[in-house]
Amino acid sequence: LLAWSHAMVAMYQARRDRGVEDRAVMATLAFSAFLRAEIAARRRRPGADLLSHLIAAEAEGSRLSELELVATCILLLNAGHEATVHALGNAVKALLETGARPHPGPDTGAIDPLVEEVLRFDPPLHLFTRYARAPVEIAGHSFAPGDRVGLLLAAANRDPDVWTDPDRFDQTRVARPHLSFGAGIHFCVGAPLARLELAVALGDLFTRLPALRLAAPPVYADRYHFRGLEALWVTA
């Protein structure tokens, strides 16, 4: 699954060539075939898993075709392998560099402001592209229908007109809406799960390893679209 995911998301990155495209197509076909077999097995013997629930929704209301079901599962799995991984890595880096720590204890509610701050401060997706659907003028720039627009989500999260001292990581900052999950009809469908994963993972990590610290300067991966680490060397 991880190899398929990496091959597919390489299509979104800079320096794409025919080899990258061919590997992405092969991964997509293999991934789709795997999921179709899993869907067939769940139709025969449904369980308490998410895939079985999606199949039930398809059967009951024709809300998802099999093609849509496969595409949705690929989206969910790829997001878990890419954006969630980078969000967690970026979060650990920020905490180690600033000395911030999750509040101890089993209640993850206390960690919510910290989770929102790490998502604001260094999100796993700094840039998304969209297309203008109608004539629009923004900040003195005119866009015609079909124009491609680069949305700098990470820059919006550091807007000094919105955030006080935006370049400073502040775990006590009052949580408020940011654009790390996008907005509107493109708002990330996995946002609640991502927040929960960050809260649980960060809380468990620093509870088990309270003396965790950096062992070497972090290294960001040289890739477009995703913002994530290539190496984060730590010691406990």
Side-chain angles (χ1 to χ4, degrees), residues 150-175:
L151 305 179
L152 297 171
L153 306 180
N157 285 346
R158 302 272 186 115
D159 185 346
D161 290 338
V162 178
W163 307 93
T164 302
D165 199 4
D167 293 331
R168 180 172 62 89
F169 182 88
D170 180 5
Q171 75 176 108
T172 66
R173 194 185 299 272
V174 176

Side-chain angles (χ1 to χ4, degrees), residues 18-19 21 47 51 53 72 106 113 127 151 168 191 197 202 213-214 230:
R18 181 58 185 265
E21 294 171 351
L51 186 54
H53 286 298
T72 299
L127 167 70
L151 305 179
R168 180 172 62 89
E197 287 173 331
L202 293 175
R213 62 189 185 276
L214 290 173
E230 183 177 283

